[in-house]
Amino acid sequence: MLTGGALTTSAQAATLATPTIAAKGGFVMNNGTGTTLFTKAADTRRSTGSTTKIMTAKVVLAQKNLNLDAKVTISKAYSDYIVRNNASSARLIVGDKVSVRSLLYGLMLPSGCDAAYALADKFGSGTTRAARVKSFIGKMNKSAADLGLKNTHFDSFDGIGQGSNYSTPRDLTKIASSAMKNSTFRTVVKTKSTKQKVTTKSGGYRYMSWSNTNTLLGTYTGAIGVKTGSGPEAGYCLVFAATRNGKTVIGTVLKSTSVSARTSDAKKLMDYGFKK
């Protein structure tokens, strides 16, 4: 009986059609075992867009004696940067004091490049903002090296690269898998929308409302994250994860053709991953 059962399972696995995706690159693994479930140009280096911010959050959350309630004053430099680069924004207001925890929501839900800048400025070291940002990006690269990733390099804190900001579907999945070990990270990336209380310049308060750009949340059963990305060079990217019946699959698609295509790609790959 046992042998028959094993043969049946093997036959099912053999007839499971490998999905076709619009994305140029893709990778999926079983997050519990690390077993590879799907690859498509999984080790080809590509621009990553805002999926870069997974590493931004990971570096922040790895800081020693991190105080998530510490306040960061929003500088004009952050809003100027958004305007200059026509970048995605958490609409942070100059002079507001925003907690590190709230900045992580602003980073990961609306994909705020202003929030990314604020965090890099806060957690880099140096006497000038430029030095602090450079130091923070250095920490991002060290974190990638510590994970043993050979095909990842960051030259930005948010994915607006200067020509050498790249990763691969396999590497990005490994970064996300590592980040998901942190409970704060997990809580943030599975949040569909949030209202965060911030202190205004005058000492009052306001609420910032942010919605998650990851539409898998609430539309795909078991979805628990992770992060969208896009850009002229990156195309449409998505790092995704879902849990069903105690099994978590996690993966990445890079350079898909549209917002709807990257979502469709991710759903196909997760469906496939759960059946394997």
mmCIF file with all atom_site columns, all heavy atoms in Angstrom, residues 248-263:
data_model
loop_
_atom_site.group_PDB
_atom_site.id
_atom_site.type_symbol
_atom_site.label_atom_id
_atom_site.label_alt_id
_atom_site.label_comp_id
_atom_site.label_asym_id
_atom_site.label_entity_id
_atom_site.label_seq_id
_atom_site.pdbx_PDB_ins_code
_atom_site.Cartn_x
_atom_site.Cartn_y
_atom_site.Cartn_z
_atom_site.occupancy
_atom_site.B_iso_or_equiv
_atom_site.pdbx_formal_charge
_atom_site.auth_seq_id
_atom_site.auth_comp_id
_atom_site.auth_asym_id
_atom_site.auth_atom_id
_atom_site.pdbx_PDB_model_num
ATOM 1   N N   . THR A 1 248 ? 4.860  27.265 3.798   1.00 0.00 ? 248 THR A N   1
ATOM 2   C CA  . THR A 1 248 ? 5.060  28.618 3.277   1.00 0.00 ? 248 THR A CA  1
ATOM 3   C C   . THR A 1 248 ? 5.906  28.557 2.020   1.00 0.00 ? 248 THR A C   1
ATOM 4   O O   . THR A 1 248 ? 6.995  27.978 2.013   1.00 0.00 ? 248 THR A O   1
ATOM 5   C CB  . THR A 1 248 ? 5.753  29.522 4.316   1.00 0.00 ? 248 THR A CB  1
ATOM 6   O OG1 . THR A 1 248 ? 4.923  29.618 5.469   1.00 0.00 ? 248 THR A OG1 1
ATOM 7   C CG2 . THR A 1 248 ? 5.983  30.926 3.768   1.00 0.00 ? 248 THR A CG2 1
ATOM 8   N N   . VAL A 1 249 ? 5.387  29.148 0.938   1.00 0.00 ? 249 VAL A N   1
ATOM 9   C CA  . VAL A 1 249 ? 6.192  29.315 -0.274  1.00 0.00 ? 249 VAL A CA  1
ATOM 10  C C   . VAL A 1 249 ? 6.541  30.787 -0.404  1.00 0.00 ? 249 VAL A C   1
ATOM 11  O O   . VAL A 1 249 ? 5.745  31.662 -0.056  1.00 0.00 ? 249 VAL A O   1
ATOM 12  C CB  . VAL A 1 249 ? 5.466  28.799 -1.546  1.00 0.00 ? 249 VAL A CB  1
ATOM 13  C CG1 . VAL A 1 249 ? 5.229  27.308 -1.465  1.00 0.00 ? 249 VAL A CG1 1
ATOM 14  C CG2 . VAL A 1 249 ? 4.155  29.537 -1.798  1.00 0.00 ? 249 VAL A CG2 1
ATOM 15  N N   . ILE A 1 250 ? 7.749  31.036 -0.871  1.00 0.00 ? 250 ILE A N   1
ATOM 16  C CA  . ILE A 1 250 ? 8.229  32.410 -1.001  1.00 0.00 ? 250 ILE A CA  1
ATOM 17  C C   . ILE A 1 250 ? 8.987  32.507 -2.315  1.00 0.00 ? 250 ILE A C   1
ATOM 18  O O   . ILE A 1 250 ? 9.657  31.543 -2.730  1.00 0.00 ? 250 ILE A O   1
ATOM 19  C CB  . ILE A 1 250 ? 9.108  32.790 0.213   1.00 0.00 ? 250 ILE A CB  1
ATOM 20  C CG1 . ILE A 1 250 ? 9.481  34.278 0.195   1.00 0.00 ? 250 ILE A CG1 1
ATOM 21  C CG2 . ILE A 1 250 ? 10.359 31.913 0.323   1.00 0.00 ? 250 ILE A CG2 1
ATOM 22  C CD1 . ILE A 1 250 ? 10.006 34.787 1.533   1.00 0.00 ? 250 ILE A CD1 1
ATOM 23  N N   . GLY A 1 251 ? 8.840  33.628 -3.009  1.00 0.00 ? 251 GLY A N   1
ATOM 24  C CA  . GLY A 1 251 ? 9.495  33.735 -4.308  1.00 0.00 ? 251 GLY A CA  1
ATOM 25  C C   . GLY A 1 251 ? 9.521  35.154 -4.836  1.00 0.00 ? 251 GLY A C   1
ATOM 26  O O   . GLY A 1 251 ? 9.073  36.099 -4.181  1.00 0.00 ? 251 GLY A O   1
ATOM 27  N N   . THR A 1 252 ? 10.049 35.270 -6.047  1.00 0.00 ? 252 THR A N   1
ATOM 28  C CA  . THR A 1 252 ? 10.266 36.573 -6.678  1.00 0.00 ? 252 THR A CA  1
ATOM 29  C C   . THR A 1 252 ? 10.022 36.479 -8.174  1.00 0.00 ? 252 THR A C   1
ATOM 30  O O   . THR A 1 252 ? 10.420 35.480 -8.798  1.00 0.00 ? 252 THR A O   1
ATOM 31  C CB  . THR A 1 252 ? 11.724 37.032 -6.458  1.00 0.00 ? 252 THR A CB  1
ATOM 32  O OG1 . THR A 1 252 ? 11.992 37.126 -5.057  1.00 0.00 ? 252 THR A OG1 1
ATOM 33  C CG2 . THR A 1 252 ? 12.001 38.372 -7.113  1.00 0.00 ? 252 THR A CG2 1
ATOM 34  N N   . VAL A 1 253 ? 9.383  37.493 -8.739  1.00 0.00 ? 253 VAL A N   1
ATOM 35  C CA  . VAL A 1 253 ? 9.387  37.676 -10.198 1.00 0.00 ? 253 VAL A CA  1
ATOM 36  C C   . VAL A 1 253 ? 9.989  39.048 -10.489 1.00 0.00 ? 253 VAL A C   1
ATOM 37  O O   . VAL A 1 253 ? 9.669  40.035 -9.823  1.00 0.00 ? 253 VAL A O   1
ATOM 38  C CB  . VAL A 1 253 ? 7.982  37.548 -10.842 1.00 0.00 ? 253 VAL A CB  1
ATOM 39  C CG1 . VAL A 1 253 ? 7.516  36.106 -10.819 1.00 0.00 ? 253 VAL A CG1 1
ATOM 40  C CG2 . VAL A 1 253 ? 6.943  38.446 -10.179 1.00 0.00 ? 253 VAL A CG2 1
ATOM 41  N N   . LEU A 1 254 ? 10.910 39.073 -11.464 1.00 0.00 ? 254 LEU A N   1
ATOM 42  C CA  . LEU A 1 254 ? 11.562 40.314 -11.875 1.00 0.00 ? 254 LEU A CA  1
ATOM 43  C C   . LEU A 1 254 ? 11.283 40.585 -13.352 1.00 0.00 ? 254 LEU A C   1
ATOM 44  O O   . LEU A 1 254 ? 11.245 39.669 -14.168 1.00 0.00 ? 254 LEU A O   1
ATOM 45  C CB  . LEU A 1 254 ? 13.074 40.241 -11.653 1.00 0.00 ? 254 LEU A CB  1
ATOM 46  C CG  . LEU A 1 254 ? 13.572 40.175 -10.200 1.00 0.00 ? 254 LEU A CG  1
ATOM 47  C CD1 . LEU A 1 254 ? 15.093 40.143 -10.166 1.00 0.00 ? 254 LEU A CD1 1
ATOM 48  C CD2 . LEU A 1 254 ? 13.043 41.357 -9.383  1.00 0.00 ? 254 LEU A CD2 1
ATOM 49  N N   . LYS A 1 255 ? 11.092 41.854 -13.633 1.00 0.00 ? 255 LYS A N   1
ATOM 50  C CA  . LYS A 1 255 ? 10.835 42.336 -15.002 1.00 0.00 ? 255 LYS A CA  1
ATOM 51  C C   . LYS A 1 255 ? 9.632  41.655 -15.637 1.00 0.00 ? 255 LYS A C   1
ATOM 52  O O   . LYS A 1 255 ? 9.694  41.105 -16.738 1.00 0.00 ? 255 LYS A O   1
ATOM 53  C CB  . LYS A 1 255 ? 12.070 42.197 -15.890 1.00 0.00 ? 255 LYS A CB  1
ATOM 54  C CG  . LYS A 1 255 ? 11.994 43.095 -17.116 1.00 0.00 ? 255 LYS A CG  1
ATOM 55  C CD  . LYS A 1 255 ? 13.323 43.705 -17.518 1.00 0.00 ? 255 LYS A CD  1
ATOM 56  C CE  . LYS A 1 255 ? 13.108 44.690 -18.672 1.00 0.00 ? 255 LYS A CE  1
ATOM 57  N NZ  . LYS A 1 255 ? 14.149 45.677 -18.810 1.00 0.00 ? 255 LYS A NZ  1
ATOM 58  N N   . SER A 1 256 ? 8.499  41.724 -14.954 1.00 0.00 ? 256 SER A N   1
ATOM 59  C CA  . SER A 1 256 ? 7.241  41.335 -15.579 1.00 0.00 ? 256 SER A CA  1
ATOM 60  C C   . SER A 1 256 ? 6.756  42.522 -16.415 1.00 0.00 ? 256 SER A C   1
ATOM 61  O O   . SER A 1 256 ? 7.382  43.585 -16.428 1.00 0.00 ? 256 SER A O   1
ATOM 62  C CB  . SER A 1 256 ? 6.207  40.916 -14.531 1.00 0.00 ? 256 SER A CB  1
ATOM 63  O OG  . SER A 1 256 ? 5.162  40.194 -15.149 1.00 0.00 ? 256 SER A OG  1
ATOM 64  N N   . THR A 1 257 ? 5.633  42.327 -17.114 1.00 0.00 ? 257 THR A N   1
ATOM 65  C CA  . THR A 1 257 ? 5.240  43.292 -18.143 1.00 0.00 ? 257 THR A CA  1
ATOM 66  C C   . THR A 1 257 ? 4.242  44.349 -17.682 1.00 0.00 ? 257 THR A C   1
ATOM 67  O O   . THR A 1 257 ? 4.064  45.363 -18.360 1.00 0.00 ? 257 THR A O   1
ATOM 68  C CB  . THR A 1 257 ? 4.646  42.535 -19.344 1.00 0.00 ? 257 THR A CB  1
ATOM 69  O OG1 . THR A 1 257 ? 3.645  41.626 -18.854 1.00 0.00 ? 257 THR A OG1 1
ATOM 70  C CG2 . THR A 1 257 ? 5.720  41.734 -20.068 1.00 0.00 ? 257 THR A CG2 1
ATOM 71  N N   . SER A 1 258 ? 3.591  44.113 -16.545 1.00 0.00 ? 258 SER A N   1
ATOM 72  C CA  . SER A 1 258 ? 2.611  45.088 -16.031 1.00 0.00 ? 258 SER A CA  1
ATOM 73  C C   . SER A 1 258 ? 2.299  44.748 -14.579 1.00 0.00 ? 258 SER A C   1
ATOM 74  O O   . SER A 1 258 ? 2.720  43.696 -14.084 1.00 0.00 ? 258 SER A O   1
ATOM 75  C CB  . SER A 1 258 ? 1.310  45.035 -16.849 1.00 0.00 ? 258 SER A CB  1
ATOM 76  O OG  . SER A 1 258 ? 0.668  43.779 -16.648 1.00 0.00 ? 258 SER A OG  1
ATOM 77  N N   . VAL A 1 259 ? 1.549  45.619 -13.929 1.00 0.00 ? 259 VAL A N   1
ATOM 78  C CA  . VAL A 1 259 ? 1.128  45.352 -12.546 1.00 0.00 ? 259 VAL A CA  1
ATOM 79  C C   . VAL A 1 259 ? 0.295  44.079 -12.485 1.00 0.00 ? 259 VAL A C   1
ATOM 80  O O   . VAL A 1 259 ? 0.501  43.215 -11.639 1.00 0.00 ? 259 VAL A O   1
ATOM 81  C CB  . VAL A 1 259 ? 0.329  46.553 -11.973 1.00 0.00 ? 259 VAL A CB  1
ATOM 82  C CG1 . VAL A 1 259 ? -0.330 46.183 -10.655 1.00 0.00 ? 259 VAL A CG1 1
ATOM 83  C CG2 . VAL A 1 259 ? 1.249  47.748 -11.772 1.00 0.00 ? 259 VAL A CG2 1
ATOM 84  N N   . SER A 1 260 ? -0.656 43.953 -13.421 1.00 0.00 ? 260 SER A N   1
ATOM 85  C CA  . SER A 1 260 ? -1.529 42.770 -13.402 1.00 0.00 ? 260 SER A CA  1
ATOM 86  C C   . SER A 1 260 ? -0.750 41.504 -13.752 1.00 0.00 ? 260 SER A C   1
ATOM 87  O O   . SER A 1 260 ? -1.004 40.432 -13.200 1.00 0.00 ? 260 SER A O   1
ATOM 88  C CB  . SER A 1 260 ? -2.716 42.952 -14.347 1.00 0.00 ? 260 SER A CB  1
ATOM 89  O OG  . SER A 1 260 ? -2.266 43.174 -15.665 1.00 0.00 ? 260 SER A OG  1
ATOM 90  N N   . ALA A 1 261 ? 0.242  41.623 -14.648 1.00 0.00 ? 261 ALA A N   1
ATOM 91  C CA  . ALA A 1 261 ? 1.031  40.449 -15.050 1.00 0.00 ? 261 ALA A CA  1
ATOM 92  C C   . ALA A 1 261 ? 1.888  39.946 -13.896 1.00 0.00 ? 261 ALA A C   1
ATOM 93  O O   . ALA A 1 261 ? 1.995  38.739 -13.682 1.00 0.00 ? 261 ALA A O   1
ATOM 94  C CB  . ALA A 1 261 ? 1.903  40.781 -16.249 1.00 0.00 ? 261 ALA A CB  1
ATOM 95  N N   . ARG A 1 262 ? 2.496  40.863 -13.134 1.00 0.00 ? 262 ARG A N   1
ATOM 96  C CA  . ARG A 1 262 ? 3.338  40.399 -12.016 1.00 0.00 ? 262 ARG A CA  1
ATOM 97  C C   . ARG A 1 262 ? 2.486  39.706 -10.950 1.00 0.00 ? 262 ARG A C   1
ATOM 98  O O   . ARG A 1 262 ? 2.926  38.740 -10.340 1.00 0.00 ? 262 ARG A O   1
ATOM 99  C CB  . ARG A 1 262 ? 4.150  41.544 -11.415 1.00 0.00 ? 262 ARG A CB  1
ATOM 100 C CG  . ARG A 1 262 ? 3.373  42.500 -10.535 1.00 0.00 ? 262 ARG A CG  1
ATOM 101 C CD  . ARG A 1 262 ? 4.221  43.630 -9.984  1.00 0.00 ? 262 ARG A CD  1
ATOM 102 N NE  . ARG A 1 262 ? 3.380  44.593 -9.285  1.00 0.00 ? 262 ARG A NE  1
ATOM 103 C CZ  . ARG A 1 262 ? 3.779  45.817 -8.939  1.00 0.00 ? 262 ARG A CZ  1
ATOM 104 N NH1 . ARG A 1 262 ? 5.003  46.229 -9.227  1.00 0.00 ? 262 ARG A NH1 1
ATOM 105 N NH2 . ARG A 1 262 ? 2.953  46.630 -8.305  1.00 0.00 ? 262 ARG A NH2 1
ATOM 106 N N   . THR A 1 263 ? 1.258  40.209 -10.740 1.00 0.00 ? 263 THR A N   1
ATOM 107 C CA  . THR A 1 263 ? 0.349  39.583 -9.781  1.00 0.00 ? 263 THR A CA  1
ATOM 108 C C   . THR A 1 263 ? -0.057 38.196 -10.264 1.00 0.00 ? 263 THR A C   1
ATOM 109 O O   . THR A 1 263 ? -0.035 37.225 -9.505  1.00 0.00 ? 263 THR A O   1
ATOM 110 C CB  . THR A 1 263 ? -0.904 40.458 -9.572  1.00 0.00 ? 263 THR A CB  1
ATOM 111 O OG1 . THR A 1 263 ? -0.489 41.769 -9.197  1.00 0.00 ? 263 THR A OG1 1
ATOM 112 C CG2 . THR A 1 263 ? -1.797 39.897 -8.483  1.00 0.00 ? 263 THR A CG2 1
#
